[in-house]
Amino acid sequence: MPEPVDNKTASAAAEAEAEPAAEQPELRRRRDRRSGDDSDTRTGTMPIIAANEAESRPPIPSSSWAEAAAAADTPATASPAKPSKDPVQMPAAPETAPAVPAKPARAARSASRAAAQAAPVPDFISSPGSFVREQKPRPVGGFRGALYAMTGGGINFGPGARQREEDELARRISRQLQGSYNTAVLSLKGGIGKTSTTVGVGLTLAEYRGDPPCAIDANPDSGDLVERALGEGIYQQQSPRTITDLLKNIDSVDTLTDLARYMHHAGRFHLIAGEQDPEVSDSLTAEEYLRIRRLISGYYSVALTDCGTGVTHNAMSGILQSADNLIIAAGYAVSGAKRARSTLHWLADHGYEELARNAIVVITDKDEVSSRVDKDAIEDHLSGICRQLIAVPHDRGVADGDLVTLDVLRPETRRAYKEIAAAIVDGYV
């Protein structure tokens, strides 16, 4: 049989069973609160720890409770502050901040860098003048030239005004030309310096130009162009081939070497002699002259044509048709000035107004006219109806009617020929 139970014991057991039942709701509420704030006080549950929190907390060694407590009491290393969601309050800027140059925008810097790279950098090949000081031209003659020679070039004042003018004339004469050009030299009266002007200007062109000039004697009256350039004796010693010989064999002339057989050479000045036989000297037609001119244009950039006296002979229409500019020869005599003016009027009235307007009138003081002639009045009379008027002073090297060479001419005469040559090339460019 079961042992009898004491009444007190039984009553105590019944109270103990009844008390937990009465406290059950309160315990549940506590547990819910603890689970809500992740507290592990008096519970066996582990709190939920985020990964970043676990890394920031110092590790607790698995030892006795005293060591764990000592580790907990030690101040932990301050972890970096997390960025706050609230706007950051920046400190106020000082009232007088130091001036800092503003940096250019990226687009501006890129543009300036591209411009610097695109700009050509001077080098010894493309810009040699950037590395060498410009040297003054050497003075020739006069006090400046003498001082330069005495000091061995140590003192150089440069050329004077006269030399600078001469250098400018040389530059104008020597300009490069694109194509072939022809200047006709004509007059209505003989013996006033037409042929001597052709020779003097031709020799001057040959002296200063890189390519040799050519002259054609188209005078129908047994012209003496070659004799004035070479001398009568030398011309007679050479094979006297003339413009008539060239016309007979023009179809077989294909090279400059072939053409040279029919030409005469006064240095670099090349000439085609006129016909000396009176029976055939006036037979040159305009068509024949144009054939000669077309042949010459393939080898020479500058040609002069000595037209002879008058403007109505057979070849004259071909000469004027192919001329780029004209030289009208005149003299200081009253008759010579009148004929020069008449020539210009005739040209303007017969369809050559442009040639007349751009003509160069050359007055040669060949015989030293008397003091009764007003040279200034004659020059004024002619200068208004042409592009330029140039006077050639009296020179015995021209007046003799024989060989014309630059070496024996006066400096003033040589300068006049240089001015004529420069004016001719001016009409080409």
Side-chain angles (χ1 to χ4, degrees), residues 327-383:
I327 293 178
I328 307 298
Y332 278 116
V334 177
S335 59
K338 285 183 177 180
R339 286 186 175 90
R341 189 178 182 87
S342 299
T343 303
L344 293 172
H345 280 297
W346 184 92
L347 293 170
D349 294 339
H350 289 77
Y352 303 104
E353 184 178 357
E354 189 69 20
L355 286 176
R357 183 184 303 111
N358 294 317
I360 305 166
V361 174
V362 176
I363 302 180
T364 302
D365 190 0
K366 190 173 182 181
D367 299 320
E368 284 188 305
V369 295
S370 68
S371 58
R372 294 186 300 111
V373 176
D374 190 346
K375 296 181 180 180
D376 294 335
I378 292 177
E379 292 179 3
D380 294 339
H381 182 70
L382 295 174
S383 60

Coordinates of all heavy atoms in Angstrom, one line a residue, residues 327-383:
I327 N 59.0 100.0 -125.8 CA 59.9 101.0 -125.5 C 59.9 102.0 -126.7 O 60.1 101.5 -127.9 CB 61.3 100.5 -125.3 CG1 61.4 99.7 -124.0 CG2 62.3 101.7 -125.3 CD1 62.8 99.2 -123.7
I328 N 59.5 103.2 -126.5 CA 59.5 104.2 -127.6 C 60.7 105.1 -127.5 O 61.0 105.8 -126.5 CB 58.2 105.1 -127.5 CG1 57.0 104.3 -127.4 CG2 58.2 106.1 -128.6 CD1 56.7 103.4 -128.6
A329 N 61.6 105.0 -128.5 CA 62.8 105.7 -128.5 C 62.6 107.1 -129.0 O 61.8 107.4 -130.0 CB 63.9 105.0 -129.4
A330 N 63.2 108.1 -128.3 CA 63.0 109.5 -128.6 C 64.3 110.2 -128.3 O 65.3 109.7 -127.7 CB 61.9 110.1 -127.9
G331 N 64.4 111.5 -128.8 CA 65.6 112.3 -128.5 C 65.1 113.7 -128.0 O 63.9 114.0 -128.0
Y332 N 66.1 114.4 -127.5 CA 65.8 115.8 -127.0 C 65.5 116.8 -128.1 O 65.1 117.9 -127.8 CB 66.9 116.3 -126.1 CG 66.8 115.7 -124.7 CD1 67.8 114.8 -124.2 CD2 65.8 116.0 -123.9 CE1 67.7 114.3 -122.9 CE2 65.7 115.5 -122.6 CZ 66.6 114.7 -122.1 OH 66.5 114.2 -120.8
A333 N 65.8 116.4 -129.3 CA 65.5 117.4 -130.4 C 63.9 117.5 -130.5 O 63.2 116.6 -130.2 CB 66.0 116.9 -131.7
V334 N 63.5 118.7 -130.9 CA 62.1 118.9 -131.0 C 61.4 117.9 -132.0 O 60.3 117.4 -131.7 CB 61.8 120.4 -131.5 CG1 60.3 120.6 -131.6 CG2 62.4 121.3 -130.5
S335 N 62.1 117.6 -133.1 CA 61.5 116.6 -134.0 C 61.3 115.3 -133.4 O 60.4 114.5 -133.6 CB 62.3 116.6 -135.3 OG 63.7 116.2 -135.0
G336 N 62.4 114.8 -132.6 CA 62.3 113.5 -132.0 C 61.2 113.4 -131.0 O 60.5 112.4 -130.9
A337 N 61.0 114.5 -130.2 CA 59.9 114.4 -129.2 C 58.5 114.4 -129.9 O 57.6 113.7 -129.5 CB 60.0 115.7 -128.3
K338 N 58.4 115.1 -131.0 CA 57.1 115.1 -131.7 C 56.8 113.7 -132.3 O 55.7 113.3 -132.3 CB 57.1 116.2 -132.9 CG 57.0 117.6 -132.4 CD 57.0 118.5 -133.6 CE 56.8 120.0 -133.1 NZ 56.7 120.9 -134.3
R339 N 57.9 113.1 -132.8 CA 57.6 111.8 -133.4 C 57.3 110.7 -132.4 O 56.5 109.8 -132.6 CB 58.9 111.3 -134.2 CG 59.0 112.1 -135.5 CD 60.2 111.5 -136.3 NE 60.3 112.1 -137.7 CZ 61.0 113.2 -138.0 NH1 61.6 113.8 -137.0 NH2 61.0 113.7 -139.2
A340 N 57.9 110.8 -131.2 CA 57.5 109.9 -130.1 C 56.1 110.1 -129.7 O 55.4 109.1 -129.5 CB 58.5 110.1 -128.9
R341 N 55.6 111.3 -129.6 CA 54.2 111.5 -129.3 C 53.3 111.1 -130.4 O 52.2 110.5 -130.1 CB 54.0 113.0 -129.0 CG 52.7 113.4 -128.4 CD 52.5 114.8 -128.1 NE 51.2 115.2 -127.5 CZ 51.0 115.1 -126.2 NH1 51.9 114.8 -125.4 NH2 49.8 115.4 -125.8
S342 N 53.7 111.2 -131.6 CA 52.9 110.8 -132.7 C 52.8 109.3 -132.7 O 51.8 108.7 -133.1 CB 53.5 111.3 -134.1 OG 53.5 112.7 -134.1
T343 N 53.9 108.6 -132.4 CA 53.9 107.1 -132.3 C 52.8 106.6 -131.3 O 52.1 105.7 -131.5 CB 55.3 106.6 -131.9 OG1 56.2 107.0 -132.9 CG2 55.3 105.1 -131.9
L344 N 52.8 107.2 -130.1 CA 51.9 106.8 -129.1 C 50.4 107.1 -129.5 O 49.5 106.3 -129.3 CB 52.2 107.6 -127.8 CG 53.5 107.2 -127.1 CD1 53.8 108.2 -125.9 CD2 53.5 105.8 -126.6
H345 N 50.2 108.2 -130.2 CA 48.8 108.5 -130.7 C 48.4 107.5 -131.7 O 47.3 107.0 -131.8 CB 48.8 109.9 -131.2 CG 48.6 111.0 -130.1 ND1 47.6 111.0 -129.3 CD2 49.5 112.0 -129.8 CE1 47.7 112.0 -128.4 NE2 48.9 112.6 -128.7
W346 N 49.4 107.1 -132.6 CA 49.1 106.1 -133.7 C 48.7 104.8 -133.1 O 47.7 104.1 -133.5 CB 50.3 106.0 -134.6 CG 50.0 105.1 -135.8 CD1 49.5 105.5 -137.0 CD2 50.2 103.7 -135.8 NE1 49.4 104.3 -137.8 CE2 49.8 103.2 -137.1 CE3 50.6 102.7 -134.9 CZ2 49.8 101.9 -137.5 CZ3 50.6 101.4 -135.2 CH2 50.2 101.0 -136.5
L347 N 49.4 104.4 -132.0 CA 49.1 103.1 -131.4 C 47.7 103.1 -130.7 O 47.0 102.2 -130.9 CB 50.2 102.8 -130.3 CG 51.6 102.5 -130.8 CD1 52.6 102.5 -129.7 CD2 51.6 101.2 -131.6
A348 N 47.4 104.2 -130.1 CA 46.1 104.3 -129.4 C 45.0 104.3 -130.4 O 43.9 103.8 -130.1 CB 46.1 105.5 -128.5
D349 N 45.2 104.9 -131.6 CA 44.2 105.0 -132.6 C 44.0 103.7 -133.4 O 43.0 103.6 -134.1 CB 44.4 106.1 -133.5 CG 44.4 107.5 -132.8 OD1 43.7 107.5 -131.8 OD2 45.0 108.4 -133.3
H350 N 44.9 102.7 -133.3 CA 44.9 101.5 -134.1 C 44.7 100.3 -133.3 O 45.2 99.2 -133.7 CB 46.1 101.4 -135.0 CG 46.2 102.4 -136.1 ND1 46.5 103.8 -135.9 CD2 45.9 102.3 -137.5 CE1 46.4 104.4 -137.1 NE2 46.1 103.5 -138.0
G351 N 44.1 100.4 -132.1 CA 43.8 99.2 -131.3 C 44.8 98.8 -130.3 O 44.7 97.7 -129.7
Y352 N 45.9 99.6 -130.1 CA 46.9 99.3 -129.2 C 47.0 100.3 -128.0 O 48.1 100.7 -127.6 CB 48.3 99.2 -129.9 CG 48.3 98.2 -131.0 CD1 48.3 98.6 -132.4 CD2 48.3 96.8 -130.8 CE1 48.3 97.8 -133.4 CE2 48.4 95.9 -131.9 CZ 48.3 96.4 -133.2 OH 48.3 95.5 -134.2
E353 N 45.8 100.7 -127.6 CA 45.8 101.7 -126.5 C 46.4 101.2 -125.2 O 47.1 102.0 -124.6 CB 44.3 102.1 -126.3 CG 44.1 103.2 -125.2 CD 42.7 103.6 -125.1 OE1 41.8 103.0 -125.7 OE2 42.4 104.5 -124.2
E354 N 46.3 100.0 -124.9 CA 46.9 99.4 -123.7 C 48.4 99.5 -123.8 O 49.1 99.8 -122.8 CB 46.4 98.0 -123.4 CG 46.8 97.4 -122.1 CD 46.1 98.1 -120.9 OE1 45.1 98.8 -121.1 OE2 46.6 98.0 -119.8
L355 N 49.0 99.1 -124.9 CA 50.4 99.2 -125.1 C 50.9 100.6 -125.0 O 52.0 100.9 -124.5 CB 50.8 98.6 -126.5 CG 50.8 97.1 -126.6 CD1 51.1 96.7 -128.1 CD2 51.7 96.4 -125.7
A356 N 50.1 101.6 -125.6 CA 50.6 103.0 -125.5 C 50.5 103.5 -124.1 O 51.4 104.3 -123.7 CB 49.6 103.8 -126.4
R357 N 49.5 103.1 -123.4 CA 49.4 103.6 -122.0 C 50.5 103.1 -121.1 O 51.0 103.8 -120.2 CB 48.0 103.2 -121.4 CG 47.8 103.8 -120.0 CD 46.5 103.3 -119.4 NE 45.4 103.6 -120.2 CZ 44.6 102.7 -120.9 NH1 45.0 101.5 -120.9 NH2 43.6 103.1 -121.7
N358 N 51.0 101.9 -121.3 CA 52.0 101.2 -120.5 C 53.4 101.3 -121.2 O 54.3 100.6 -120.7 CB 51.7 99.8 -120.3 CG 50.5 99.6 -119.4 OD1 50.3 100.3 -118.4 ND2 49.6 98.7 -119.8
A359 N 53.5 102.1 -122.2 CA 54.8 102.3 -122.9 C 55.9 103.0 -122.0 O 55.5 103.8 -121.1 CB 54.7 103.0 -124.2
I360 N 57.1 102.7 -122.3 CA 58.3 103.3 -121.6 C 59.0 104.2 -122.7 O 59.4 103.7 -123.7 CB 59.3 102.3 -121.1 CG1 58.6 101.3 -120.1 CG2 60.4 103.0 -120.3 CD1 59.4 100.1 -119.8
V361 N 59.0 105.5 -122.5 CA 59.6 106.4 -123.4 C 61.0 106.6 -122.9 O 61.3 107.0 -121.8 CB 58.9 107.8 -123.5 CG1 59.6 108.7 -124.3 CG2 57.5 107.5 -124.0
V362 N 62.0 106.4 -123.8 CA 63.4 106.5 -123.5 C 64.0 107.7 -124.4 O 64.0 107.6 -125.6 CB 64.2 105.2 -123.8 CG1 65.7 105.4 -123.5 CG2 63.7 104.1 -122.9
I363 N 64.4 108.7 -123.7 CA 65.0 109.9 -124.4 C 66.5 109.8 -124.2 O 67.0 109.8 -123.1 CB 64.5 111.2 -123.8 CG1 63.0 111.3 -123.9 CG2 65.1 112.4 -124.5 CD1 62.4 112.6 -123.3
T364 N 67.2 109.6 -125.4 CA 68.6 109.5 -125.4 C 69.3 110.8 -125.8 O 69.0 111.4 -126.9 CB 69.1 108.4 -126.3 OG1 68.5 107.2 -126.0 CG2 70.6 108.3 -126.3
D365 N 70.1 111.4 -124.9 CA 70.8 112.6 -125.2 C 72.0 112.3 -126.0 O 73.1 112.2 -125.5 CB 71.2 113.3 -123.9 CG 71.7 114.7 -124.1 OD1 71.7 115.1 -125.3 OD2 72.0 115.4 -123.1
K366 N 71.8 112.0 -127.3 CA 72.9 111.4 -128.1 C 73.9 112.5 -128.6 O 75.1 112.2 -128.6 CB 72.2 110.7 -129.3 CG 73.2 109.9 -130.1 CD 72.5 109.0 -131.1 CE 73.5 108.2 -131.9 NZ 72.8 107.4 -132.9
D367 N 73.4 113.6 -129.0 CA 74.3 114.6 -129.6 C 74.5 115.8 -128.8 O 75.1 116.8 -129.3 CB 73.8 114.9 -131.0 CG 73.7 113.7 -132.0 OD1 74.6 112.9 -131.9 OD2 72.7 113.7 -132.7
E368 N 74.1 115.8 -127.6 CA 74.2 117.0 -126.7 C 73.7 118.2 -127.5 O 74.4 119.1 -128.0 CB 75.7 117.2 -126.3 CG 76.1 116.3 -125.2 CD 77.5 116.7 -124.7 OE1 78.4 116.8 -125.5 OE2 77.6 116.8 -123.5
V369 N 72.4 118.3 -127.5 CA 71.7 119.4 -128.2 C 72.1 120.7 -127.5 O 72.6 120.8 -126.4 CB 70.2 119.2 -128.2 CG1 69.8 118.0 -129.0 CG2 69.7 119.1 -126.8
S370 N 71.8 121.8 -128.2 CA 72.3 123.1 -127.7 C 71.4 123.5 -126.5 O 70.4 122.9 -126.2 CB 72.1 124.2 -128.8 OG 70.7 124.4 -129.1
S371 N 71.9 124.5 -125.8 CA 71.3 125.0 -124.6 C 69.9 125.7 -124.9 O 69.2 125.9 -124.0 CB 72.2 126.0 -123.9 OG 72.5 127.1 -124.7
R372 N 69.6 125.9 -126.2 CA 68.3 126.5 -126.5 C 67.2 125.6 -126.3 O 66.0 126.0 -126.2 CB 68.4 127.0 -127.9 CG 69.3 128.2 -128.1 CD 69.2 128.8 -129.5 NE 69.5 127.8 -130.6 CZ 68.5 127.3 -131.4 NH1 67.3 127.7 -131.3 NH2 68.9 126.5 -132.3
V373 N 67.5 124.2 -126.3 CA 66.4 123.2 -126.1 C 66.1 123.1 -124.7 O 67.0 122.9 -123.8 CB 66.9 121.9 -126.7 CG1 65.8 120.8 -126.5 CG2 67.2 122.0 -128.2
D374 N 64.8 123.2 -124.3 CA 64.3 123.1 -123.0 C 64.0 121.6 -122.7 O 63.0 121.1 -123.1 CB 63.1 123.9 -122.8 CG 62.7 124.0 -121.3 OD1 63.2 123.2 -120.5 OD2 61.9 124.9 -120.9
K375 N 65.0 120.9 -122.1 CA 64.9 119.5 -121.9 C 63.7 119.2 -120.9 O 63.0 118.2 -121.1 CB 66.2 118.9 -121.4 CG 67.3 118.9 -122.4 CD 68.6 118.3 -121.8 CE 69.7 118.4 -122.7 NZ 71.0 117.8 -122.2
D376 N 63.6 120.0 -119.9 CA 62.5 119.7 -119.0 C 61.1 119.9 -119.6 O 60.2 119.1 -119.3 CB 62.6 120.7 -117.8 CG 63.8 120.5 -117.0 OD1 64.3 119.4 -117.0 OD2 64.3 121.5 -116.3
A377 N 61.0 120.8 -120.6 CA 59.7 121.0 -121.3 C 59.4 119.7 -122.1 O 58.2 119.3 -122.2 CB 59.7 122.2 -122.1
I378 N 60.4 119.2 -122.8 CA 60.2 118.0 -123.6 C 59.8 116.8 -122.8 O 58.9 116.0 -123.1 CB 61.5 117.7 -124.4 CG1 61.7 118.8 -125.5 CG2 61.4 116.3 -125.1 CD1 63.0 118.6 -126.3
E379 N 60.5 116.6 -121.6 CA 60.1 115.5 -120.7 C 58.7 115.7 -120.2 O 57.9 114.7 -120.1 CB 61.1 115.5 -119.6 CG 62.5 115.1 -120.0 CD 63.5 115.1 -118.8 OE1 63.0 115.3 -117.7 OE2 64.7 114.8 -119.0
D380 N 58.3 116.9 -119.8 CA 56.9 117.1 -119.4 C 55.9 116.8 -120.5 O 54.8 116.3 -120.3 CB 56.8 118.5 -118.9 CG 57.6 118.8 -117.6 OD1 57.9 117.8 -116.9 OD2 57.9 120.0 -117.3
H381 N 56.3 117.1 -121.7 CA 55.5 116.9 -122.9 C 55.2 115.5 -123.1 O 54.1 115.1 -123.6 CB 56.1 117.6 -124.1 CG 55.3 117.5 -125.4 ND1 54.1 118.2 -125.5 CD2 55.5 116.7 -126.5 CE1 53.6 117.9 -126.7 NE2 54.4 117.0 -127.3
L382 N 56.1 114.6 -122.8 CA 56.0 113.1 -123.1 C 55.6 112.3 -121.9 O 54.9 111.3 -122.0 CB 57.3 112.6 -123.6 CG 57.7 113.1 -125.0 CD1 59.1 112.6 -125.3 CD2 56.8 112.8 -126.1
S383 N 55.9 112.8 -120.7 CA 55.7 111.9 -119.5 C 54.2 111.7 -119.2 O 53.8 110.7 -118.6 CB 56.3 112.6 -118.3 OG 55.8 113.9 -118.0

